[in-house]
């Protein structure tokens, strides 16, 4: 089975298996890089990495409309329940949960996390999705950290890394992250949404080819990656 990833701009991804749609960090209506609006997206599951608006802005309306189960760290799952989202699954870093489409593991991330109304959001996180023996890592918003070595075992088929700098690791640190993770493929995210995180992604891809063993997969918003 092939998993199909569609980049919806910034940190937002749609992951599709044969019969399941998983939406990561929905930020669409106020996202200048998004090719779709929140009202046009379908989802069976919604994953939330942390509480910042550019990762959670459209989660509540999409969850209410679709009935998708929202998976997030415990504090964010509780907050979503208080916003009227009925189907939530709270977990925490290091934990995994088996689901019909595969397994979701919550990983560490070095960042911050507060919800749009100021509520404490717990720790920020990343995710490893294991779908039909394929391992896909979403670092989400994070700095470089050496424990990426652990996340890279067993072998990752794809790692999705932020390269925008300023709020997360930038292009230079991402190359070191790729060395630690040693994935088969790597895709960039969290860049070119606004001027402060503009990056030359073609130069980044050239550097990935020259100094790492991973294959870069660069797509425009709306573009697809097959894993
Ligand atoms: Ni953030
Ligand atoms: Mn962010």
């Amino acid at each position: 089975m092939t998993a199909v990833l569609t980049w919806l701009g910034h940190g937002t991804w749609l992951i599709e298996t044969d019969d399941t749609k998983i939406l990561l960090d929905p930020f669409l209506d106020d996202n200048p890089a998004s090719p779709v609006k929140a009202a046009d997206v379908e989802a069976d599951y919604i994953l939330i990495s942390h509480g910042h608006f550019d990762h959670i802005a459209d989660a509540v309306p999409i969850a209410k409309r679709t009935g998708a189960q929202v998976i997030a760290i415990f504090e964010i799952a509780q907050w979503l329940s208080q916003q009227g989202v009925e189907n939530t699954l709270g977990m925490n870093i290091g934990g995994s949960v088996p689901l019909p489409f595969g397994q979701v593991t919550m990983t560490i991330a070095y960042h911050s996390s507060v919800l749009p109304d100021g509520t404490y959001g717990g720790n920020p996180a990343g995710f490893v999705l294991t779908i039909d023996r394929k391992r896909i890592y979403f670092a989400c918003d994070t700095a470089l950290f050496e424990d990426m070595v652990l996340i890279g075992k067993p072998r990752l088929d794809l790692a999705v890394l932020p390269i925008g700098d300023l709020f997360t690791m930038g292009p230079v640190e991402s190359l070191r992250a790729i060395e630690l993770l040693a994935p088969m493929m790597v895709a960039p995210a969290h860049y070119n949404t606004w001027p402060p995180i503009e990056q030359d992604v073609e130069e980044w891809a050239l550097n990935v080819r020259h100094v790492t063993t991973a294959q870069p997969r660069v797509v425009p918003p709306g573009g697809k990656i097959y894993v």
Side-chain angles (χ1 to χ4, degrees):
M1 183 172 66
T2 302
V4 183
L5 278 69
T6 306
W7 189 36
L8 300 180
H10 202 57
T12 308
W13 292 84
L14 179 66
I15 303 106
E16 293 174 277
T17 70
D18 289 344
D19 51 14
T20 308
K21 293 185 196 311
I22 306 146
L23 188 61
L24 171 67
D25 283 355
F27 172 52
L28 301 166
D29 286 353
D30 293 333
N31 175 355
S34 174
V36 291
K37 291 296 172 195
D40 301 322
V41 174
E42 296 301 325
D44 301 297
Y45 297 90
I46 300 172
L47 306 183
I48 304 292
S49 67
H50 65 294
H52 290 155
F53 75 96
D54 58 319
H55 297 260
I56 203 170
D58 297 312
V60 171
I62 295 172
K64 285 182 177 173
R65 176 173 53 79
T66 63
Q69 183 172 48
V70 189
I71 301 171
I73 203 156
F74 185 78
E75 289 83 353
I76 290 179
Q78 263 194 325
W79 181 83
L80 289 164
S81 299
Q82 290 160 6
Q83 312 305 307
V85 176
E86 289 178 2
N87 194 2
T88 63
L89 174 60
M91 59 189 301
N92 214 315
I93 288 162
S96 296
V97 58
L99 293 163
F101 67 84
Q103 178 176 281
V104 173
T105 301
M106 184 169 270
T107 65
I108 61 169
Y110 281 94
H111 194 64
S112 59
S113 182
V114 67
L115 288 150
D117 63 2
T119 302
Y120 172 62
N123 286 332
F127 293 102
V128 175
L129 271 53
T130 308
I131 301 173
D132 195 26
R133 291 190 299 273
K134 306 270 179 69
R135 296 184 75 240
I136 305 169
Y137 170 49
F138 292 93
C140 303
D141 283 15
T142 187
L144 172 69
F145 56 89
E146 194 167 20
D147 283 354
M148 285 181 170
V149 168
L150 303 176
I151 296 170
K153 292 178 181 135
R155 182 84 172 222
L156 291 166
D157 294 274
L158 172 69
V160 179
L161 301 177
I163 67 161
D165 218 335
L166 190 62
F167 303 113
T168 66
M169 72 172 97
V172 174
E173 292 79 22
S174 79
L175 296 177
R176 299 184 64 195
I178 297 163
E179 285 174 29
L180 296 172
L181 292 161
M184 311 271 279
M185 297 184 286
V186 62
H190 214 275
Y191 71 98
N192 286 5
T193 320
W194 303 286
I197 56 171
E198 265 174 23
Q199 298 295 340
D200 183 340
V201 74
E202 294 308 323
E203 186 189 325
W204 173 84
L206 275 177
N207 288 331
V208 170
R209 284 202 180 85
H210 283 147
V211 305
T212 80
T213 56
Q215 287 296 316
R217 289 283 183 274
V218 176
V219 292
K224 294 182 191 305
I225 298 172
Y226 298 83
V227 183

